[in-house]
PDB file of all heavy atoms in Angstrom:
ATOM      1  N   ASP K 148      -8.020-130.570  71.305  1.00  0.00           N
ATOM      2  CA  ASP K 148      -7.662-131.632  70.357  1.00  0.00           C
ATOM      3  C   ASP K 148      -8.579-132.845  70.511  1.00  0.00           C
ATOM      4  O   ASP K 148      -8.984-133.453  69.520  1.00  0.00           O
ATOM      5  CB  ASP K 148      -6.207-132.060  70.545  1.00  0.00           C
ATOM      6  CG  ASP K 148      -5.213-131.003  70.077  1.00  0.00           C
ATOM      7  OD1 ASP K 148      -5.629-130.054  69.368  1.00  0.00           O
ATOM      8  OD2 ASP K 148      -4.024-131.120  70.433  1.00  0.00           O
ATOM      9  N   LEU K 149      -8.890-133.183  71.753  1.00  0.00           N
ATOM     10  CA  LEU K 149      -9.756-134.330  72.022  1.00  0.00           C
ATOM     11  C   LEU K 149     -11.115-134.133  71.361  1.00  0.00           C
ATOM     12  O   LEU K 149     -11.614-135.020  70.658  1.00  0.00           O
ATOM     13  CB  LEU K 149      -9.924-134.514  73.538  1.00  0.00           C
ATOM     14  CG  LEU K 149     -10.862-135.628  73.995  1.00  0.00           C
ATOM     15  CD1 LEU K 149     -10.297-136.993  73.616  1.00  0.00           C
ATOM     16  CD2 LEU K 149     -11.072-135.535  75.506  1.00  0.00           C
ATOM     17  N   PHE K 150     -11.712-132.967  71.544  1.00  0.00           N
ATOM     18  CA  PHE K 150     -13.032-132.714  70.964  1.00  0.00           C
ATOM     19  C   PHE K 150     -12.983-132.562  69.451  1.00  0.00           C
ATOM     20  O   PHE K 150     -13.963-132.867  68.765  1.00  0.00           O
ATOM     21  CB  PHE K 150     -13.679-131.487  71.611  1.00  0.00           C
ATOM     22  CG  PHE K 150     -14.180-131.762  73.004  1.00  0.00           C
ATOM     23  CD1 PHE K 150     -13.538-131.221  74.102  1.00  0.00           C
ATOM     24  CD2 PHE K 150     -15.284-132.568  73.209  1.00  0.00           C
ATOM     25  CE1 PHE K 150     -13.993-131.479  75.389  1.00  0.00           C
ATOM     26  CE2 PHE K 150     -15.750-132.833  74.492  1.00  0.00           C
ATOM     27  CZ  PHE K 150     -15.102-132.288  75.590  1.00  0.00           C
ATOM     28  N   ASP K 151     -11.847-132.128  68.915  1.00  0.00           N
ATOM     29  CA  ASP K 151     -11.705-131.996  67.462  1.00  0.00           C
ATOM     30  C   ASP K 151     -11.487-133.342  66.781  1.00  0.00           C
ATOM     31  O   ASP K 151     -12.006-133.584  65.695  1.00  0.00           O
ATOM     32  CB  ASP K 151     -10.518-131.085  67.114  1.00  0.00           C
ATOM     33  CG  ASP K 151     -10.842-129.615  67.281  1.00  0.00           C
ATOM     34  OD1 ASP K 151     -12.038-129.272  67.413  1.00  0.00           O
ATOM     35  OD2 ASP K 151      -9.895-128.814  67.292  1.00  0.00           O
ATOM     36  N   GLN K 152     -10.704-134.214  67.419  1.00  0.00           N
ATOM     37  CA  GLN K 152     -10.233-135.417  66.736  1.00  0.00           C
ATOM     38  C   GLN K 152     -10.970-136.695  67.114  1.00  0.00           C
ATOM     39  O   GLN K 152     -11.083-137.603  66.288  1.00  0.00           O
ATOM     40  CB  GLN K 152      -8.729-135.591  66.993  1.00  0.00           C
ATOM     41  CG  GLN K 152      -7.919-134.439  66.423  1.00  0.00           C
ATOM     42  CD  GLN K 152      -6.468-134.461  66.880  1.00  0.00           C
ATOM     43  OE1 GLN K 152      -6.026-135.395  67.524  1.00  0.00           O
ATOM     44  NE2 GLN K 152      -5.740-133.414  66.531  1.00  0.00           N
ATOM     45  N   GLU K 153     -11.439-136.803  68.343  1.00  0.00           N
ATOM     46  CA  GLU K 153     -12.081-138.041  68.794  1.00  0.00           C
ATOM     47  C   GLU K 153     -13.564-138.017  68.427  1.00  0.00           C
ATOM     48  O   GLU K 153     -14.253-137.032  68.673  1.00  0.00           O
ATOM     49  CB  GLU K 153     -11.913-138.200  70.305  1.00  0.00           C
ATOM     50  CG  GLU K 153     -12.467-139.487  70.857  1.00  0.00           C
ATOM     51  CD  GLU K 153     -11.803-140.728  70.294  1.00  0.00           C
ATOM     52  OE1 GLU K 153     -10.577-140.869  70.416  1.00  0.00           O
ATOM     53  OE2 GLU K 153     -12.535-141.571  69.716  1.00  0.00           O
ATOM     54  N   LYS K 154     -14.025-139.096  67.853  1.00  0.00           N
ATOM     55  CA  LYS K 154     -15.436-139.185  67.445  1.00  0.00           C
ATOM     56  C   LYS K 154     -16.259-140.047  68.387  1.00  0.00           C
ATOM     57  O   LYS K 154     -17.480-139.927  68.437  1.00  0.00           O
ATOM     58  CB  LYS K 154     -15.551-139.744  66.009  1.00  0.00           C
ATOM     59  CG  LYS K 154     -14.829-138.899  64.970  1.00  0.00           C
ATOM     60  CD  LYS K 154     -15.296-137.472  64.962  1.00  0.00           C
ATOM     61  CE  LYS K 154     -14.463-136.636  64.019  1.00  0.00           C
ATOM     62  NZ  LYS K 154     -14.296-135.271  64.464  1.00  0.00           N
ATOM     63  N   ASP K 155     -15.624-140.915  69.148  1.00  0.00           N
ATOM     64  CA  ASP K 155     -16.321-141.816  70.061  1.00  0.00           C
ATOM     65  C   ASP K 155     -16.621-141.067  71.368  1.00  0.00           C
ATOM     66  O   ASP K 155     -15.703-140.689  72.099  1.00  0.00           O
ATOM     67  CB  ASP K 155     -15.438-143.034  70.338  1.00  0.00           C
ATOM     68  CG  ASP K 155     -16.094-144.047  71.262  1.00  0.00           C
ATOM     69  OD1 ASP K 155     -17.171-143.752  71.830  1.00  0.00           O
ATOM     70  OD2 ASP K 155     -15.511-145.137  71.437  1.00  0.00           O
ATOM     71  N   PRO K 156     -17.900-140.839  71.687  1.00  0.00           N
ATOM     72  CA  PRO K 156     -18.235-140.068  72.889  1.00  0.00           C
ATOM     73  C   PRO K 156     -17.760-140.726  74.193  1.00  0.00           C
ATOM     74  O   PRO K 156     -17.419-140.026  75.144  1.00  0.00           O
ATOM     75  CB  PRO K 156     -19.761-139.961  72.851  1.00  0.00           C
ATOM     76  CG  PRO K 156     -20.225-140.897  71.812  1.00  0.00           C
ATOM     77  CD  PRO K 156     -19.072-141.236  70.931  1.00  0.00           C
ATOM     78  N   ILE K 157     -17.697-142.036  74.218  1.00  0.00           N
ATOM     79  CA  ILE K 157     -17.212-142.738  75.416  1.00  0.00           C
ATOM     80  C   ILE K 157     -15.729-142.421  75.635  1.00  0.00           C
ATOM     81  O   ILE K 157     -15.302-142.136  76.759  1.00  0.00           O
ATOM     82  CB  ILE K 157     -17.427-144.270  75.303  1.00  0.00           C
ATOM     83  CG1 ILE K 157     -18.901-144.604  75.110  1.00  0.00           C
ATOM     84  CG2 ILE K 157     -16.839-144.983  76.511  1.00  0.00           C
ATOM     85  CD1 ILE K 157     -19.811-144.202  76.254  1.00  0.00           C
ATOM     86  N   GLN K 158     -14.950-142.450  74.559  1.00  0.00           N
ATOM     87  CA  GLN K 158     -13.526-142.114  74.667  1.00  0.00           C
ATOM     88  C   GLN K 158     -13.336-140.652  75.087  1.00  0.00           C
ATOM     89  O   GLN K 158     -12.430-140.338  75.855  1.00  0.00           O
ATOM     90  CB  GLN K 158     -12.800-142.390  73.345  1.00  0.00           C
ATOM     91  CG  GLN K 158     -12.668-143.854  73.000  1.00  0.00           C
ATOM     92  CD  GLN K 158     -11.914-144.632  74.067  1.00  0.00           C
ATOM     93  OE1 GLN K 158     -10.885-144.193  74.554  1.00  0.00           O
ATOM     94  NE2 GLN K 158     -12.448-145.785  74.430  1.00  0.00           N
ATOM     95  N   ILE K 159     -14.193-139.788  74.591  1.00  0.00           N
ATOM     96  CA  ILE K 159     -14.112-138.376  74.983  1.00  0.00           C
ATOM     97  C   ILE K 159     -14.326-138.246  76.491  1.00  0.00           C
ATOM     98  O   ILE K 159     -13.576-137.545  77.177  1.00  0.00           O
ATOM     99  CB  ILE K 159     -15.140-137.521  74.198  1.00  0.00           C
ATOM    100  CG1 ILE K 159     -14.723-137.427  72.725  1.00  0.00           C
ATOM    101  CG2 ILE K 159     -15.278-136.128  74.822  1.00  0.00           C
ATOM    102  CD1 ILE K 159     -15.747-136.758  71.830  1.00  0.00           C
ATOM    103  N   ILE K 160     -15.334-138.924  77.007  1.00  0.00           N
ATOM    104  CA  ILE K 160     -15.626-138.857  78.444  1.00  0.00           C
ATOM    105  C   ILE K 160     -14.445-139.383  79.253  1.00  0.00           C
ATOM    106  O   ILE K 160     -14.011-138.754  80.232  1.00  0.00           O
ATOM    107  CB  ILE K 160     -16.917-139.635  78.778  1.00  0.00           C
ATOM    108  CG1 ILE K 160     -18.120-138.927  78.161  1.00  0.00           C
ATOM    109  CG2 ILE K 160     -17.083-139.801  80.292  1.00  0.00           C
ATOM    110  CD1 ILE K 160     -19.398-139.735  78.184  1.00  0.00           C
ATOM    111  N   LYS K 161     -13.912-140.526  78.847  1.00  0.00           N
ATOM    112  CA  LYS K 161     -12.778-141.127  79.567  1.00  0.00           C
ATOM    113  C   LYS K 161     -11.581-140.183  79.582  1.00  0.00           C
ATOM    114  O   LYS K 161     -10.996-139.906  80.632  1.00  0.00           O
ATOM    115  CB  LYS K 161     -12.375-142.453  78.919  1.00  0.00           C
ATOM    116  CG  LYS K 161     -13.350-143.581  79.109  1.00  0.00           C
ATOM    117  CD  LYS K 161     -12.851-144.815  78.353  1.00  0.00           C
ATOM    118  CE  LYS K 161     -13.794-145.982  78.447  1.00  0.00           C
ATOM    119  NZ  LYS K 161     -13.273-147.168  77.735  1.00  0.00           N
ATOM    120  N   TRP K 162     -11.188-139.729  78.397  1.00  0.00           N
ATOM    121  CA  TRP K 162      -9.982-138.904  78.294  1.00  0.00           C
ATOM    122  C   TRP K 162     -10.161-137.529  78.930  1.00  0.00           C
ATOM    123  O   TRP K 162      -9.220-136.986  79.510  1.00  0.00           O
ATOM    124  CB  TRP K 162      -9.534-138.794  76.838  1.00  0.00           C
ATOM    125  CG  TRP K 162      -8.673-139.957  76.480  1.00  0.00           C
ATOM    126  CD1 TRP K 162      -9.008-141.019  75.699  1.00  0.00           C
ATOM    127  CD2 TRP K 162      -7.344-140.195  76.946  1.00  0.00           C
ATOM    128  NE1 TRP K 162      -7.965-141.904  75.642  1.00  0.00           N
ATOM    129  CE2 TRP K 162      -6.928-141.415  76.401  1.00  0.00           C
ATOM    130  CE3 TRP K 162      -6.470-139.502  77.778  1.00  0.00           C
ATOM    131  CZ2 TRP K 162      -5.667-141.959  76.653  1.00  0.00           C
ATOM    132  CZ3 TRP K 162      -5.219-140.032  78.036  1.00  0.00           C
ATOM    133  CH2 TRP K 162      -4.831-141.250  77.478  1.00  0.00           C
ATOM    134  N   LYS K 163     -11.349-136.976  78.836  1.00  0.00           N
ATOM    135  CA  LYS K 163     -11.591-135.680  79.468  1.00  0.00           C
ATOM    136  C   LYS K 163     -11.364-135.796  80.974  1.00  0.00           C
ATOM    137  O   LYS K 163     -10.709-134.949  81.595  1.00  0.00           O
ATOM    138  CB  LYS K 163     -13.013-135.198  79.170  1.00  0.00           C
ATOM    139  CG  LYS K 163     -13.337-133.831  79.745  1.00  0.00           C
ATOM    140  CD  LYS K 163     -14.751-133.410  79.340  1.00  0.00           C
ATOM    141  CE  LYS K 163     -15.102-132.016  79.843  1.00  0.00           C
ATOM    142  NZ  LYS K 163     -15.195-131.901  81.271  1.00  0.00           N
ATOM    143  N   GLU K 164     -11.864-136.853  81.563  1.00  0.00           N
ATOM    144  CA  GLU K 164     -11.694-137.058  83.004  1.00  0.00           C
ATOM    145  C   GLU K 164     -10.228-137.283  83.365  1.00  0.00           C
ATOM    146  O   GLU K 164      -9.735-136.730  84.349  1.00  0.00           O
ATOM    147  CB  GLU K 164     -12.554-138.236  83.462  1.00  0.00           C
ATOM    148  CG  GLU K 164     -12.601-138.349  84.965  1.00  0.00           C
ATOM    149  CD  GLU K 164     -13.569-139.420  85.432  1.00  0.00           C
ATOM    150  OE1 GLU K 164     -14.623-139.617  84.796  1.00  0.00           O
ATOM    151  OE2 GLU K 164     -13.251-140.052  86.436  1.00  0.00           O
ATOM    152  N   ILE K 165      -9.525-138.070  82.576  1.00  0.00           N
ATOM    153  CA  ILE K 165      -8.100-138.330  82.848  1.00  0.00           C
ATOM    154  C   ILE K 165      -7.292-137.047  82.757  1.00  0.00           C
ATOM    155  O   ILE K 165      -6.497-136.723  83.646  1.00  0.00           O
ATOM    156  CB  ILE K 165      -7.564-139.408  81.868  1.00  0.00           C
ATOM    157  CG1 ILE K 165      -8.174-140.772  82.199  1.00  0.00           C
ATOM    158  CG2 ILE K 165      -6.032-139.465  81.910  1.00  0.00           C
ATOM    159  CD1 ILE K 165      -7.992-141.825  81.116  1.00  0.00           C
ATOM    160  N   ILE K 166      -7.499-136.293  81.691  1.00  0.00           N
ATOM    161  CA  ILE K 166      -6.742-135.050  81.471  1.00  0.00           C
ATOM    162  C   ILE K 166      -7.042-134.039  82.576  1.00  0.00           C
ATOM    163  O   ILE K 166      -6.130-133.431  83.144  1.00  0.00           O
ATOM    164  CB  ILE K 166      -7.052-134.467  80.073  1.00  0.00           C
ATOM    165  CG1 ILE K 166      -6.475-135.380  78.983  1.00  0.00           C
ATOM    166  CG2 ILE K 166      -6.506-133.044  79.943  1.00  0.00           C
ATOM    167  CD1 ILE K 166      -7.030-135.112  77.593  1.00  0.00           C
ATOM    168  N   GLU K 167      -8.309-133.875  82.905  1.00  0.00           N
ATOM    169  CA  GLU K 167      -8.679-132.900  83.933  1.00  0.00           C
ATOM    170  C   GLU K 167      -8.172-133.299  85.311  1.00  0.00           C
ATOM    171  O   GLU K 167      -7.769-132.438  86.108  1.00  0.00           O
ATOM    172  CB  GLU K 167     -10.192-132.685  83.951  1.00  0.00           C
ATOM    173  CG  GLU K 167     -10.678-131.892  82.753  1.00  0.00           C
ATOM    174  CD  GLU K 167     -12.184-131.703  82.707  1.00  0.00           C
ATOM    175  OE1 GLU K 167     -12.924-132.487  83.351  1.00  0.00           O
ATOM    176  OE2 GLU K 167     -12.622-130.773  82.004  1.00  0.00           O
ATOM    177  N   THR K 168      -8.155-134.577  85.619  1.00  0.00           N
ATOM    178  CA  THR K 168      -7.644-135.028  86.906  1.00  0.00           C
ATOM    179  C   THR K 168      -6.144-134.784  86.998  1.00  0.00           C
ATOM    180  O   THR K 168      -5.637-134.352  88.041  1.00  0.00           O
ATOM    181  CB  THR K 168      -7.974-136.521  87.137  1.00  0.00           C
ATOM    182  OG1 THR K 168      -9.387-136.707  87.017  1.00  0.00           O
ATOM    183  CG2 THR K 168      -7.519-136.988  88.517  1.00  0.00           C
ATOM    184  N   LEU K 169      -5.434-135.023  85.914  1.00  0.00           N
ATOM    185  CA  LEU K 169      -3.993-134.759  85.883  1.00  0.00           C
ATOM    186  C   LEU K 169      -3.724-133.266  86.060  1.00  0.00           C
ATOM    187  O   LEU K 169      -2.830-132.859  86.802  1.00  0.00           O
ATOM    188  CB  LEU K 169      -3.399-135.288  84.579  1.00  0.00           C
ATOM    189  CG  LEU K 169      -1.890-135.398  84.483  1.00  0.00           C
ATOM    190  CD1 LEU K 169      -1.296-136.162  85.661  1.00  0.00           C
ATOM    191  CD2 LEU K 169      -1.508-136.081  83.178  1.00  0.00           C
ATOM    192  N   GLU K 170      -4.526-132.438  85.409  1.00  0.00           N
ATOM    193  CA  GLU K 170      -4.360-130.987  85.565  1.00  0.00           C
ATOM    194  C   GLU K 170      -4.724-130.550  86.983  1.00  0.00           C
ATOM    195  O   GLU K 170      -4.113-129.631  87.536  1.00  0.00           O
ATOM    196  CB  GLU K 170      -5.223-130.247  84.533  1.00  0.00           C
ATOM    197  CG  GLU K 170      -4.850-128.781  84.363  1.00  0.00           C
ATOM    198  CD  GLU K 170      -5.439-127.894  85.427  1.00  0.00           C
ATOM    199  OE1 GLU K 170      -6.575-128.172  85.884  1.00  0.00           O
ATOM    200  OE2 GLU K 170      -4.783-126.914  85.824  1.00  0.00           O
ATOM    201  N   PHE K 171      -5.694-131.211  87.590  1.00  0.00           N
ATOM    202  CA  PHE K 171      -6.070-130.889  88.964  1.00  0.00           C
ATOM    203  C   PHE K 171      -4.912-131.186  89.919  1.00  0.00           C
ATOM    204  O   PHE K 171      -4.738-130.487  90.923  1.00  0.00           O
ATOM    205  CB  PHE K 171      -7.340-131.649  89.356  1.00  0.00           C
ATOM    206  CG  PHE K 171      -7.992-131.159  90.616  1.00  0.00           C
ATOM    207  CD1 PHE K 171      -8.100-129.801  90.894  1.00  0.00           C
ATOM    208  CD2 PHE K 171      -8.511-132.053  91.531  1.00  0.00           C
ATOM    209  CE1 PHE K 171      -8.699-129.352  92.063  1.00  0.00           C
ATOM    210  CE2 PHE K 171      -9.119-131.621  92.705  1.00  0.00           C
ATOM    211  CZ  PHE K 171      -9.214-130.267  92.969  1.00  0.00           C
ATOM    212  N   ALA K 172      -4.087-132.190  89.584  1.00  0.00           N
ATOM    213  CA  ALA K 172      -2.886-132.460  90.388  1.00  0.00           C
ATOM    214  C   ALA K 172      -1.935-131.260  90.323  1.00  0.00           C
ATOM    215  O   ALA K 172      -1.313-130.889  91.326  1.00  0.00           O
ATOM    216  CB  ALA K 172      -2.187-133.735  89.909  1.00  0.00           C
ATOM    217  N   ALA K 173      -1.834-130.643  89.148  1.00  0.00           N
ATOM    218  CA  ALA K 173      -1.017-129.431  89.017  1.00  0.00           C
ATOM    219  C   ALA K 173      -1.606-128.296  89.845  1.00  0.00           C
ATOM    220  O   ALA K 173      -0.866-127.527  90.477  1.00  0.00           O
ATOM    221  CB  ALA K 173      -0.901-129.018  87.550  1.00  0.00           C
ATOM    222  N   ASP K 174      -2.939-128.183  89.861  1.00  0.00           N
ATOM    223  CA  ASP K 174      -3.590-127.177  90.703  1.00  0.00           C
ATOM    224  C   ASP K 174      -3.239-127.391  92.173  1.00  0.00           C
ATOM    225  O   ASP K 174      -2.999-126.426  92.908  1.00  0.00           O
ATOM    226  CB  ASP K 174      -5.117-127.239  90.555  1.00  0.00           C
ATOM    227  CG  ASP K 174      -5.612-126.762  89.199  1.00  0.00           C
ATOM    228  OD1 ASP K 174      -4.840-126.105  88.468  1.00  0.00           O
ATOM    229  OD2 ASP K 174      -6.783-127.067  88.877  1.00  0.00           O
ATOM    230  N   LYS K 175      -3.222-128.641  92.597  1.00  0.00           N
ATOM    231  CA  LYS K 175      -2.885-128.946  93.995  1.00  0.00           C
ATOM    232  C   LYS K 175      -1.432-128.597  94.299  1.00  0.00           C
ATOM    233  O   LYS K 175      -1.115-128.187  95.416  1.00  0.00           O
ATOM    234  CB  LYS K 175      -3.160-130.417  94.323  1.00  0.00           C
ATOM    235  CG  LYS K 175      -4.612-130.702  94.570  1.00  0.00           C
ATOM    236  CD  LYS K 175      -5.101-129.969  95.808  1.00  0.00           C
ATOM    237  CE  LYS K 175      -6.575-130.203  96.030  1.00  0.00           C
ATOM    238  NZ  LYS K 175      -7.058-129.480  97.218  1.00  0.00           N
ATOM    239  N   CYS K 176      -0.552-128.741  93.310  1.00  0.00           N
ATOM    240  CA  CYS K 176       0.838-128.308  93.503  1.00  0.00           C
ATOM    241  C   CYS K 176       0.874-126.807  93.782  1.00  0.00           C
ATOM    242  O   CYS K 176       1.621-126.342  94.650  1.00  0.00           O
ATOM    243  CB  CYS K 176       1.694-128.641  92.282  1.00  0.00           C
ATOM    244  SG  CYS K 176       2.006-130.402  92.036  1.00  0.00           S
ATOM    245  N   GLU K 177       0.052-126.067  93.052  1.00  0.00           N
ATOM    246  CA  GLU K 177      -0.026-124.622  93.291  1.00  0.00           C
ATOM    247  C   GLU K 177      -0.587-124.339  94.682  1.00  0.00           C
ATOM    248  O   GLU K 177      -0.134-123.415  95.364  1.00  0.00           O
ATOM    249  CB  GLU K 177      -0.892-123.956  92.227  1.00  0.00           C
ATOM    250  CG  GLU K 177      -0.932-122.437  92.369  1.00  0.00           C
ATOM    251  CD  GLU K 177      -1.748-121.765  91.278  1.00  0.00           C
ATOM    252  OE1 GLU K 177      -2.813-122.300  90.909  1.00  0.00           O
ATOM    253  OE2 GLU K 177      -1.300-120.708  90.810  1.00  0.00           O
ATOM    254  N   ASP K 178      -1.553-125.146  95.135  1.00  0.00           N
ATOM    255  CA  ASP K 178      -2.077-124.989  96.497  1.00  0.00           C
ATOM    256  C   ASP K 178      -0.978-125.192  97.532  1.00  0.00           C
ATOM    257  O   ASP K 178      -0.912-124.474  98.528  1.00  0.00           O
ATOM    258  CB  ASP K 178      -3.230-125.954  96.754  1.00  0.00           C
ATOM    259  CG  ASP K 178      -4.490-125.626  95.959  1.00  0.00           C
ATOM    260  OD1 ASP K 178      -4.568-124.514  95.378  1.00  0.00           O
ATOM    261  OD2 ASP K 178      -5.386-126.488  95.917  1.00  0.00           O
ATOM    262  N   VAL K 179      -0.111-126.190  97.290  1.00  0.00           N
ATOM    263  CA  VAL K 179       1.026-126.422  98.187  1.00  0.00           C
ATOM    264  C   VAL K 179       1.921-125.188  98.213  1.00  0.00           C
ATOM    265  O   VAL K 179       2.331-124.720  99.283  1.00  0.00           O
ATOM    266  CB  VAL K 179       1.839-127.675  97.759  1.00  0.00           C
ATOM    267  CG1 VAL K 179       3.131-127.787  98.568  1.00  0.00           C
ATOM    268  CG2 VAL K 179       1.011-128.939  97.904  1.00  0.00           C
ATOM    269  N   ALA K 180       2.209-124.628  97.042  1.00  0.00           N
ATOM    270  CA  ALA K 180       3.041-123.425  96.962  1.00  0.00           C
ATOM    271  C   ALA K 180       2.402-122.272  97.728  1.00  0.00           C
ATOM    272  O   ALA K 180       3.103-121.513  98.417  1.00  0.00           O
ATOM    273  CB  ALA K 180       3.280-123.036  95.503  1.00  0.00           C
ATOM    274  N   ASN K 181       1.090-122.146  97.634  1.00  0.00           N
ATOM    275  CA  ASN K 181       0.401-121.076  98.352  1.00  0.00           C
ATOM    276  C   ASN K 181       0.514-121.248  99.862  1.00  0.00           C
ATOM    277  O   ASN K 181       0.695-120.269 100.593  1.00  0.00           O
ATOM    278  CB  ASN K 181      -1.067-121.003  97.925  1.00  0.00           C
ATOM    279  CG  ASN K 181      -1.227-120.537  96.490  1.00  0.00           C
ATOM    280  OD1 ASN K 181      -0.342-119.910  95.914  1.00  0.00           O
ATOM    281  ND2 ASN K 181      -2.362-120.873  95.893  1.00  0.00           N
ATOM    282  N   VAL K 182       0.407-122.479 100.350  1.00  0.00           N
ATOM    283  CA  VAL K 182       0.565-122.737 101.784  1.00  0.00           C
ATOM    284  C   VAL K 182       1.994-122.406 102.216  1.00  0.00           C
ATOM    285  O   VAL K 182       2.207-121.742 103.239  1.00  0.00           O
ATOM    286  CB  VAL K 182       0.207-124.202 102.138  1.00  0.00           C
ATOM    287  CG1 VAL K 182       0.522-124.496 103.601  1.00  0.00           C
ATOM    288  CG2 VAL K 182      -1.255-124.492 101.838  1.00  0.00           C
ATOM    289  N   ILE K 183       2.972-122.864 101.436  1.00  0.00           N
ATOM    290  CA  ILE K 183       4.377-122.592 101.756  1.00  0.00           C
ATOM    291  C   ILE K 183       4.633-121.091 101.781  1.00  0.00           C
ATOM    292  O   ILE K 183       5.295-120.570 102.689  1.00  0.00           O
ATOM    293  CB  ILE K 183       5.316-123.302 100.754  1.00  0.00           C
ATOM    294  CG1 ILE K 183       5.252-124.816 100.958  1.00  0.00           C
ATOM    295  CG2 ILE K 183       6.750-122.790 100.888  1.00  0.00           C
ATOM    296  CD1 ILE K 183       5.939-125.630  99.869  1.00  0.00           C
ATOM    297  N   GLU K 184       4.097-120.392 100.800  1.00  0.00           N
ATOM    298  CA  GLU K 184       4.261-118.933 100.742  1.00  0.00           C
ATOM    299  C   GLU K 184       3.641-118.276 101.973  1.00  0.00           C
ATOM    300  O   GLU K 184       4.235-117.379 102.575  1.00  0.00           O
ATOM    301  CB  GLU K 184       3.627-118.404  99.464  1.00  0.00           C
ATOM    302  CG  GLU K 184       3.940-116.970  99.174  1.00  0.00           C
ATOM    303  CD  GLU K 184       3.444-116.537  97.796  1.00  0.00           C
ATOM    304  OE1 GLU K 184       3.283-117.396  96.909  1.00  0.00           O
ATOM    305  OE2 GLU K 184       3.214-115.331  97.636  1.00  0.00           O
ATOM    306  N   GLY K 185       2.460-118.726 102.358  1.00  0.00           N
ATOM    307  CA  GLY K 185       1.789-118.194 103.547  1.00  0.00           C
ATOM    308  C   GLY K 185       2.591-118.417 104.818  1.00  0.00           C
ATOM    309  O   GLY K 185       2.752-117.514 105.648  1.00  0.00           O
ATOM    310  N   VAL K 186       3.125-119.637 104.968  1.00  0.00           N
ATOM    311  CA  VAL K 186       3.961-119.963 106.128  1.00  0.00           C
ATOM    312  C   VAL K 186       5.196-119.070 106.148  1.00  0.00           C
ATOM    313  O   VAL K 186       5.574-118.522 107.184  1.00  0.00           O
ATOM    314  CB  VAL K 186       4.365-121.459 106.109  1.00  0.00           C
ATOM    315  CG1 VAL K 186       5.462-121.755 107.108  1.00  0.00           C
ATOM    316  CG2 VAL K 186       3.150-122.329 106.372  1.00  0.00           C
ATOM    317  N   THR K 187       5.810-118.898 104.994  1.00  0.00           N
ATOM    318  CA  THR K 187       7.023-118.093 104.891  1.00  0.00           C
ATOM    319  C   THR K 187       6.746-116.644 105.267  1.00  0.00           C
ATOM    320  O   THR K 187       7.512-116.027 106.029  1.00  0.00           O
ATOM    321  CB  THR K 187       7.603-118.173 103.467  1.00  0.00           C
ATOM    322  OG1 THR K 187       7.842-119.549 103.158  1.00  0.00           O
ATOM    323  CG2 THR K 187       8.895-117.403 103.344  1.00  0.00           C
TER     324      THR K 187
END
Side-chain angles (χ1 to χ4, degrees):
D148 289 346
L149 177 66
F150 286 109
D151 282 346
Q152 297 170 7
E153 184 61 58
K154 301 304 174 213
D155 181 352
I157 301 297
Q158 291 301 315
I159 290 173
I160 293 168
K161 289 177 182 181
W162 274 106
K163 182 177 183 294
E164 190 174 325
I165 290 166
I166 291 164
E167 287 178 339
T168 304
L169 194 52
E170 195 279 325
F171 194 41
D174 290 344
K175 281 295 178 181
C176 290
E177 184 178 40
D178 291 348
V179 172
N181 292 339
V182 174
I183 291 170
E184 190 172 336
V186 167
T187 303

